Amino acid sequence: MKFSNMFIPTTKEAPKDATLASHQYLVRGGFVNQVGAGIYNFMPLGKIVLEKIRAIVKEEMDNSGANEVQMGFVTPTSLWEESGRANTMGPELLKFKDRKNASFVLSPTNEEALVDMVNNRITSYKDLPINLYQINTKFRDEARPRFGLMRGREFLMKDAYSFHDSQEDLVREFNLMEETYKKVYERLGLEFRVVEADSGAIGGSGSKEFMILANSGEDTIVVCDSCDYGANIEAATRKVLKKEPLQTTEIKKVHTPNLKSIEEVTNFLEVDPYYSIKAVIKKAIFEDKTQTVVFFVRGTDELEETKACGAVGAIELEDATEQDLKDANLLAGFCGIVNFPKDIKVVFDKELKDENSVVCGANEVDYHLTGVDLTKFDLEFADLIAVKHGDTCACCGGILSHTKGIEAGHIFQLGTKYSSAMNATFLDANGKAQPFIMGCYGIGVSRLVAAVIEQNHDEKGCIWTKATAPFMVDIIVSNAKKDEELEVGVDIYNQLKQAGIETILDDRKNARFGFKMGDFELIGFPFAVVVGKKLKDGMVEIVNRKTLEKTEVLITEVVSKLEELIK
Amino acid sequence: MKFSNMFIPTTKEAPKDATLASHQYLVRGGFVNQVGAGIYNFMPLGKIVLEKIRAIVKEEMDNSGANEVQMGFVTPTSLWEESGRANTMGPELLKFKDRKNASFVLSPTNEEALVDMVNNRITSYKDLPINLYQINTKFRDEARPRFGLMRGREFLMKDAYSFHDSQEDLVREFNLMEETYKKVYERLGLEFRVVEADSGAIGGSGSKEFMILANSGEDTIVVCDSCDYGANIEAATRKVLKKEPLQTTEIKKVHTPNLKSIEEVTNFLEVDPYYSIKAVIKKAIFEDKTQTVVFFVRGTDELEETKACGAVGAIELEDATEQDLKDANLLAGFCGIVNFPKDIKVVFDKELKDENSVVCGANEVDYHLTGVDLTKFDLEFADLIAVKHGDTCACCGGILSHTKGIEAGHIFQLGTKYSSAMNATFLDANGKAQPFIMGCYGIGVSRLVAAVIEQNHDEKGCIWTKATAPFMVDIIVSNAKKDEELEVGVDIYNQLKQAGIETILDDRKNARFGFKMGDFELIGFPFAVVVGKKLKDGMVEIVNRKTLEKTEVLITEVVSKLEELIK
């Protein structure tokens, strides 16, 4: 392809709101342009990258034996009412009416539509398992679309849905999908981690996320320095640090004027903060109500909100306001379990189960209690804590640390959540109707375009991996008005094409060398061949975009040299 | 691929509303399923066909030098307001509000979005021409979605938009697109006709349609039996039949009691109906008003509504009601040009320009006039007539006839309609700002899936062309429970795979031979290989789906025989 025949509108100006490198460079490099909040067009170079990623995803999904389908993007709201998600998804689910006043949604995901497709078409266990996938546009009306392609409203996603007659078979497919996904990210040339994850609004039991490692990632991942363990902070666990239990004592009320923080209180009382508990007071939003909830964690821990939200089955948690505290008869800084208001929901972190002598608030201003024996209360426990940097790995005893990742894939063991709700069944070997056991599996295809750049860029621009580069080589003809330069460029271009190397020829007559070099660096083709002043010695220059190293080679050897570099 | 690993839910039941063969067979064959009015899912076999067609369209577009892009499906209504189409498109343009109350549309076509993409990114004539295309989902909120994939609301379309600095260059690209489209339909194995067309709501000057010939086609096409001429009836022209002018006479009022039709009146008056004119009274719907309009055509002709609509610049025409006639002081059956109500818009067919003595209504019940000299009136003329079967070809003098076609492509010379409205300009060689000169080019990709079947089917089911078949060969293992049959099937399957022939193996153990044969005929793979009772003689049977011919061949020769047949 020739530069002069392609629409590649590079620019020096990044969008004002672009904080991420991928957002800046994809716009500046002429890959994408914004049409509305969270909605992007892919211009020619961006479309090539997107299609390369799509092709790899498709190939690996086909290799796994999954069948490709294509669902309607517009789906009737009635399907979402059957599953109950018409309400629970909230305003991210964009609903609208057609000219006949029928209600539809723009699909953000397609569990319901797939259950509807399979229901009554697969009737026997003999026709199971099946895994159906599509690579299609999705829409999620995000409250704050941002970061360019990273968190858009309209995006391209690969979504797959599998149907099984047993949990074991689901687990087999789930593991196959994990392997399939690993192949995808490996082929894309990305550094990634498979981590344990929270299932969130999609539901189901087990789920894993595929995290592209990048400092700018929105997700915090907990990884072990010694073994393979990795988990989203929302689902991470650790080896419990168990200190010697204290001797039980009488409950004592202590005057702690103006001492509210764990540090202040335990310092004052000369107690190891490990033996204190702290209350985190939240407003939990449910489908049909709003309710104040108190979560107790160890004084040395922090609450993990997604875990806490899941523990009470809420849609989301908000910080409680002063008015909420007043209404609930709760005192910030002095909240404890003794004389706790009866009508307020309370959950304890499960690591506190055996504590027999802790410090906590006295539910009275300026007072705390010591010697509180939690085993004497009838309490509800759940995993509530955020695993910390330096905690111990439950798998191997190694040290856990935090890193940042971009969620680029998520696989779920759904079970019968959707098939039961929608009454979708098959006949098992005994002729009995059973709800389908389901898995679902997503890859953010357009998000991956950005993720590649978050992981691979420098201060000059993009650095595409070999599998994602729109072209492998950019032949820069320094001065395309000079026939001899242009001819050599065209000649190398033809040779590379014949060698099967995807090449673009920068033959623009109205652009100077420096401008072309700037475009090469900004766009980020893996290699450039500069045809310029060394021509009189029969030489051209190969530039490696990643290292920015320059190597002079004989024109006669440029193809073999590039073949070697690309290997 | 094995049948047992694919989701191919064939069924005996066709949808109740399915009148077209493609609608019935694509649903019955498990290619598509309906999710809502005019919205279809593509199941695995349907998706393969769709992708084959998409790939051919993409390849030919790339060969033409066009650049692939991908536009947001959701676009801001503000873009449509700039062009004026937010109002003129009517309710087919589906508008909705997002959670922040911003207005968007589901793209039915993308002229505005492309102008917006190119504007300010191409600033000089030196960067022209460029042709940008995408193959992407579209939505048109049809009042009456019907015929399955033929007239859906959500559909897959290839749309391309070219930008030029001169009309000559636009014509060059327009012709290139015509050739590109021809290659697409030829490669798909379709019988088609390129015809002159009306530009309709898209606008612009010249336009051509690509009609897949099929009896069920919704479009009437006029074709010449002697030359290449073809046109949609909405745009067809003919050689004017010119009869001897009559001698001018005085206007005479004749009593014609209860004679309303042209035949009755001209019989009674003993006049050649060629010398009569008839009024067609319509209600024209404009963007901002509704107005009664009278169209006069020769007594021997019929009004062509699309032409008539274009002649007055209306959005559409409806039949006038009795009340409309009353309000306009018009008399059905007795309407004429003498004493015609002054405030009513009237247009004459251009072939009536020189008529100096015609019969028409007297605008008085039971009276007609003879000897009316049209040249004495100040009239507006336009092409209004529907070319008839048997009319004379204007190009060669041959005989024109009507045939039916499915519109599967449409190319337009838009000119500056959109660039002017949206103020999108480039600097010409003199440094002067000029609006881009544009073309646009569409192919109905999902509609083509149906069109292939409309042209290629029989009473048993689909007959896919070689380029569109989901698999070329279906190996039917008569009784897959018999190991020897299954082994031979698998062996032939592996050989065919190695020979690069796309093959599906019907290895289903829970389906009988007759059922598998029925599926083969319904789905319409080009060839079947039946592995069954002839096995003991070392023979299998090849079935040709189109001719239903059966040929026994030695197992050792089946691959070479199929290779020969496929060539």
Side-chain angles (χ1 to χ4, degrees):
Chain A
M1 183 54 84
K2 292 177 179 170
F3 238 101
S4 60
N5 293 340
M6 257 187 107
F7 178 55
I8 308 178
T10 58
T11 167
K12 293 202 168 172
E13 283 157 49
K16 279 185 211 126
D17 62 337
T19 51
L20 292 192
S22 64
H23 189 180
Q24 292 168 5
Y25 293 145
L26 290 173
V27 170
R28 287 192 47 213
F31 293 91
V32 300
N33 75 294
Q34 189 174 1
V35 261
I39 306 173
Y40 286 82
N41 294 328
F42 286 80
M43 296 196 281
L45 283 185
K47 178 65 175 169
I48 295 176
V49 175
L50 186 70
E51 285 307 300
K52 290 199 167 206
I53 298 174
R54 179 211 287 260
I56 288 173
V57 172
K58 172 171 170 55
E59 225 174 277
E60 293 301 335
M61 287 303 293
D62 287 344
N63 286 345
S64 81
N67 287 191
E68 193 176 11
V69 298
Q70 182 172 309
M71 310 302 290
F73 177 43
V74 171
T75 48
T77 309
S78 56
L79 280 181
W80 291 75
E81 281 158 357
E82 276 186 58
S83 75
R85 284 206 292 182
N87 292 321
T88 56
M89 274 279 285
E92 285 195 5
L93 184 69
L94 196 142
K95 295 175 200 154
F96 62 89
K97 302 256 171 126
D98 70 3
R99 67 193 285 170
K100 287 177 179 153
N101 215 30
S103 178
F104 288 87
V105 309
L106 295 184
S107 306
T109 166
N110 283 279
E111 283 76 8
E112 289 81 357
L114 262 292
V115 170
D116 185 61
M117 182 193 267
V118 164
N119 196 16
N120 296 321
R121 290 193 177 85
I122 290 184
T123 52
S124 162
Y125 73 100
K126 290 179 187 166
D127 298 324
L128 294 174
I130 195 83
N131 188 348
L132 302 171
Y133 80 96
Q134 64 164 348
I135 303 173
N136 206 351
T137 306
K138 301 281 177 296
F139 197 92
R140 205 170 283 170
D141 201 357
E142 293 265 0
R144 277 185 59 217
R146 57 196 184 278
F147 304 146
L149 296 184
M150 202 61 87
R151 193 166 282 280
R153 295 199 292 174
E154 184 176 318
F155 53 97
L156 189 66
M157 186 168 110
K158 188 283 296 173
D159 45 333
Y161 308 86
S162 69
F163 297 82
H164 309 270
D165 64 350
S166 72
Q167 175 65 23
E168 298 71 54
D169 197 56
L170 167 60
V171 170
R172 178 202 51 73
E173 186 74 19
F174 183 82
N175 293 336
L176 175 62
M177 283 298 106
E178 179 174 341
E179 292 313 308
T180 300
Y181 277 36
K182 284 183 187 168
K183 284 181 199 158
V184 167
Y185 302 115
E186 273 160 20
R187 284 183 62 182
L188 291 173
L190 291 170
E191 259 195 277
F192 67 98
R193 237 16 226 242
V194 187
V195 303
E196 289 174 18
D198 174 64
S199 296
I202 299 285
S205 52
S207 92
K208 286 189 178 178
E209 281 171 335
F210 297 78
M211 290 288 180
I212 309 303
L213 302 184
N215 294 332
S216 61
E218 281 192 274
D219 283 271
T220 299
I221 345 175
V222 174
V223 292
C224 175
D225 294 353
S226 312
C227 79
D228 258 357
Y229 179 76
N232 193 308
I233 187 96
E234 299 171 351
T237 57
R238 64 183 176 193
K239 186 162 179 211
V240 177
L241 172 72
K242 203 74 201 147
K243 292 200 183 177
E244 197 68 18
L246 296 181
Q247 283 206 308
T248 48
T249 56
E250 285 290 283
I251 291 183
K252 250 203 312 208
K253 189 161 133 188
V254 203
H255 190 217
T256 49
N258 270 322
L259 305 178
K260 288 185 176 181
S261 77
I262 289 294
E263 202 191 349
E264 290 165 345
V265 175
T266 55
N267 266 344
F268 176 76
L269 298 173
E270 295 181 344
V271 174
D272 180 348
Y274 176 87
Y275 299 107
S276 70
I277 64 173
K278 70 178 165 201
V280 187
I281 307 168
K282 291 282 177 184
K283 191 155 68 180
I285 317 292
F286 296 89
E287 205 178 316
D288 50 352
K289 60 178 177 186
T290 295
Q291 192 184 319
T292 299
V293 184
V294 180
F295 299 96
F296 280 99
V297 297
R298 202 181 285 284
T300 47
D301 282 326
E302 297 298 331
L303 185 76
E304 210 303 310
E305 282 216 14
T306 305
K307 287 182 178 179
C309 192
V312 295
I315 295 172
E316 64 176 314
L317 298 182
E318 288 178 4
D319 287 337
T321 61
E322 273 184 45
Q323 187 60 47
D324 293 330
L325 293 175
K326 219 168 164 182
D327 293 346
N329 275 320
L330 294 168
L331 295 168
F334 302 99
C335 186
I337 192 59
V338 181
N339 297 325
F340 190 80
K342 273 195 188 121
D343 49 341
I344 300 297
K345 169 106 181 155
V346 57
V347 186
F348 274 69
D349 179 56
K350 65 180 173 49
E351 292 189 15
L352 295 170
K353 214 170 213 163
D354 302 325
E355 293 302 336
N356 58 4
S357 177
V358 298
V359 172
C360 66
N363 293 322
E364 200 180 321
V365 174
D366 289 346
Y367 284 94
H368 278 81
L369 302 179
T370 63
V372 177
D373 184 350
L374 296 180
T375 65
K376 296 213 170 131
F377 293 81
D378 182 23
L379 299 174
E380 185 183 331
F381 292 95
D383 178 13
L384 296 178
I385 59 91
V387 172
K388 295 190 299 291
H389 214 84
D391 280 348
T392 307
C393 175
C395 303
C396 75
I399 295 169
L400 297 173
S401 61
H402 284 183
T403 180
K404 290 286 183 180
I406 297 162
E407 184 199 334
H410 202 158
I411 60 178
F412 300 85
Q413 294 179 29
L414 286 179
T416 59
K417 176 176 170 177
Y418 294 90
S419 50
S420 294
M422 296 176 72
N423 219 347
T425 61
F426 65 96
L427 295 180
D428 68 13
N430 303 315
K432 213 185 133 190
Q434 303 280 5
F436 292 103
I437 296 169
M438 291 175 62
C440 79
Y441 318 94
I443 290 183
V445 178
S446 50
R447 178 181 281 185
L448 273 169
V449 175
V452 172
I453 296 312
E454 283 310 316
Q455 196 176 78
N456 301 277
H457 66 269
D458 59 17
E459 72 290 345
K460 288 170 186 280
C462 305
I463 305 173
W464 294 101
T465 65
K466 284 170 191 170
T468 58
F471 293 95
M472 190 61 78
V473 179
D474 174 17
I475 301 176
I476 300 176
V477 179
S478 300
N479 184 348
K481 286 177 186 159
K482 287 189 181 165
D483 286 345
E484 66 277 21
E485 286 192 15
L486 190 57
E487 273 163 31
V488 172
V490 170
D491 187 47
I492 296 173
Y493 173 74
N494 288 332
Q495 287 181 52
L496 286 173
K497 235 174 112 176
Q498 207 143 30
I501 296 171
E502 290 169 332
T503 304
I504 186 164
L505 177 72
D506 197 343
D507 61 340
R508 289 176 292 176
K509 291 200 163 120
N510 53 340
R512 293 191 182 179
F513 171 70
F515 189 84
K516 292 178 183 178
M517 198 50 159
D519 273 0
F520 162 67
E521 290 168 340
L522 174 60
I523 294 169
F525 304 110
F527 301 99
V529 173
V530 180
V531 182
K533 42 187 192 265
K534 296 277 161 171
L535 208 57
K536 57 183 190 306
D537 309 321
M539 307 277 275
V540 293
E541 205 173 56
I542 293 179
V543 188
N544 181 320
R545 173 63 188 89
K546 193 164 183 177
T547 62
L548 292 173
E549 251 179 313
K550 292 173 184 179
T551 322
E552 288 182 3
V553 292
L554 284 170
I555 294 175
T556 48
E557 287 168 8
V558 66
V559 176
S560 60
K561 181 72 186 167
L562 280 168
E563 280 179 324
E564 196 180 294
L565 285 167
I566 289 165
K567 256 185 230 150
Chain B
M1 185 53 84
K2 290 175 182 174
F3 239 100
S4 60
N5 293 339
M6 258 187 108
F7 178 55
I8 308 178
T10 57
T11 168
K12 293 204 167 170
E13 283 156 48
K16 279 186 208 122
D17 62 337
T19 52
L20 292 193
S22 64
H23 189 181
Q24 293 169 4
Y25 293 145
L26 290 173
V27 170
R28 288 192 47 212
F31 293 92
V32 300
N33 75 293
Q34 190 174 1
V35 260
I39 305 173
Y40 285 83
N41 293 328
F42 286 80
M43 296 194 282
L45 283 186
K47 179 64 175 169
I48 296 176
V49 174
L50 186 70
E51 283 309 299
K52 290 199 166 207
I53 297 174
R54 178 212 286 260
I56 288 173
V57 172
K58 172 171 170 54
E59 224 174 278
E60 292 302 335
M61 287 303 293
D62 287 344
N63 287 345
S64 81
N67 286 192
E68 193 176 11
V69 297
Q70 182 172 310
M71 310 302 290
F73 177 43
V74 171
T75 48
T77 310
S78 57
L79 281 180
W80 290 75
E81 278 158 358
E82 276 186 57
S83 75
R85 285 206 292 182
N87 291 321
T88 56
M89 273 282 283
E92 285 195 5
L93 184 68
L94 195 141
K95 294 176 202 154
F96 62 89
K97 302 256 170 126
D98 70 3
R99 67 194 284 169
K100 287 178 179 153
N101 216 28
S103 178
F104 289 87
V105 308
L106 293 183
S107 307
T109 166
N110 283 279
E111 283 76 8
E112 289 81 357
L114 262 292
V115 169
D116 185 61
M117 182 192 268
V118 164
N119 196 17
N120 296 321
R121 291 193 176 85
I122 290 185
T123 51
S124 160
Y125 73 100
K126 289 178 188 165
D127 298 323
L128 295 174
I130 194 81
N131 188 348
L132 301 170
Y133 80 96
Q134 64 164 348
I135 304 174
N136 206 351
T137 306
K138 301 281 178 295
F139 198 93
R140 204 169 284 170
D141 201 358
E142 293 264 359
R144 278 184 60 217
R146 58 195 184 280
F147 305 145
L149 296 183
M150 202 61 88
R151 191 167 284 279
R153 294 198 292 174
E154 184 176 318
F155 53 97
L156 189 67
M157 187 167 110
K158 189 283 296 173
D159 45 331
Y161 308 86
S162 69
F163 297 82
H164 309 270
D165 65 352
S166 71
Q167 175 65 22
E168 297 72 55
D169 197 55
L170 166 59
V171 170
R172 177 201 52 72
E173 186 74 18
F174 184 82
N175 293 336
L176 175 62
M177 283 297 109
E178 179 174 344
E179 293 312 310
T180 299
Y181 277 36
K182 284 182 185 169
K183 282 180 199 157
V184 168
Y185 303 114
E186 273 159 20
R187 284 182 62 183
L188 291 173
L190 292 170
E191 259 194 277
F192 67 98
R193 220 50 209 232
V194 188
V195 303
E196 289 175 17
D198 175 64
S199 295
I202 300 285
S205 53
S207 93
K208 286 189 178 179
E209 281 169 336
F210 297 77
M211 290 288 180
I212 310 303
L213 303 184
N215 294 332
S216 60
E218 282 192 273
D219 283 271
T220 298
I221 342 174
V222 175
V223 292
C224 174
D225 295 352
S226 313
C227 79
D228 258 358
Y229 179 76
N232 191 309
I233 186 97
E234 299 171 349
T237 56
R238 64 183 176 193
K239 186 163 181 212
V240 178
L241 171 72
K242 204 73 203 146
K243 292 200 185 179
E244 196 68 18
L246 296 181
Q247 283 208 307
T248 50
T249 56
E250 284 289 286
I251 293 183
K252 249 205 306 211
K253 186 160 134 188
V254 203
H255 190 218
T256 50
N258 270 320
L259 304 178
K260 287 183 176 182
S261 77
I262 290 292
E263 202 191 347
E264 290 164 346
V265 174
T266 54
N267 266 345
F268 176 77
L269 296 173
E270 294 180 344
V271 174
D272 182 345
Y274 176 87
Y275 297 108
S276 70
I277 64 174
K278 69 178 166 203
V280 187
I281 307 169
K282 292 281 177 186
K283 190 153 69 179
I285 317 291
F286 296 90
E287 206 178 314
D288 51 351
K289 61 177 177 185
T290 295
Q291 191 183 318
T292 300
V293 183
V294 180
F295 299 97
F296 279 99
V297 297
R298 200 180 285 285
T300 47
D301 282 325
E302 298 297 333
L303 185 76
E304 210 303 309
E305 281 215 14
T306 304
K307 287 183 178 178
C309 192
V312 295
I315 295 173
E316 64 177 312
L317 298 182
E318 287 178 5
D319 286 337
T321 61
E322 273 185 44
Q323 187 60 46
D324 293 331
L325 293 176
K326 220 167 161 182
D327 292 348
N329 275 322
L330 294 168
L331 295 169
F334 302 100
C335 185
I337 191 61
V338 180
N339 295 325
F340 190 80
K342 273 196 187 120
D343 49 343
I344 301 298
K345 169 105 180 155
V346 59
V347 186
F348 274 69
D349 179 57
K350 66 180 173 49
E351 292 188 17
L352 294 170
K353 214 169 212 165
D354 303 324
E355 292 302 336
N356 59 4
S357 177
V358 298
V359 172
C360 66
N363 293 322
E364 198 180 325
V365 175
D366 290 346
Y367 284 94
H368 278 81
L369 301 178
T370 64
V372 176
D373 185 350
L374 296 180
T375 65
K376 296 211 170 132
F377 292 81
D378 184 22
L379 299 174
E380 187 183 332
F381 292 95
D383 179 12
L384 297 179
I385 59 92
V387 171
K388 294 190 299 291
H389 214 83
D391 279 349
T392 307
C393 176
C395 303
C396 76
I399 294 169
L400 297 173
S401 62
H402 284 182
T403 182
K404 288 287 183 179
I406 298 163
E407 185 198 334
H410 202 157
I411 60 178
F412 300 85
Q413 293 179 28
L414 286 179
T416 60
K417 176 176 170 178
Y418 293 90
S419 50
S420 294
M422 296 177 71
N423 219 347
T425 60
F426 64 95
L427 295 180
D428 67 13
N430 304 316
K432 213 185 133 191
Q434 302 281 4
F436 292 103
I437 297 169
M438 291 176 62
C440 79
Y441 319 93
I443 290 184
V445 178
S446 50
R447 178 181 280 186
L448 272 169
V449 175
V452 171
I453 297 310
E454 284 308 317
Q455 195 176 79
N456 302 278
H457 67 269
D458 60 17
E459 72 290 346
K460 287 169 187 282
C462 305
I463 305 173
W464 294 101
T465 64
K466 284 170 192 171
T468 57
F471 294 95
M472 190 61 77
V473 178
D474 174 17
I475 301 177
I476 299 176
V477 180
S478 300
N479 184 348
K481 286 177 186 160
K482 288 190 181 165
D483 286 346
E484 66 275 21
E485 284 192 14
L486 189 57
E487 273 164 30
V488 171
V490 170
D491 186 47
I492 297 174
Y493 173 73
N494 288 331
Q495 287 182 51
L496 286 172
K497 238 175 108 177
Q498 208 145 28
I501 296 171
E502 289 168 333
T503 304
I504 186 164
L505 177 72
D506 197 343
D507 60 340
R508 289 176 292 176
K509 290 201 163 117
N510 54 340
R512 295 189 180 179
F513 172 70
F515 189 84
K516 293 179 182 176
M517 197 50 158
D519 273 0
F520 162 66
E521 290 168 341
L522 174 60
I523 294 169
F525 304 111
F527 301 98
V529 173
V530 180
V531 182
K533 44 187 191 266
K534 296 279 160 171
L535 208 56
K536 58 184 189 306
D537 309 322
M539 308 278 274
V540 293
E541 205 174 56
I542 294 177
V543 189
N544 181 320
R545 174 62 188 88
K546 191 165 185 177
T547 62
L548 293 173
E549 251 177 311
K550 293 172 181 178
T551 322
E552 288 180 2
V553 292
L554 285 169
I555 294 174
T556 48
E557 286 169 8
V558 66
V559 176
S560 60
K561 181 71 188 169
L562 279 167
E563 280 179 325
E564 195 182 295
L565 284 167
I566 288 163
K567 254 183 231 150

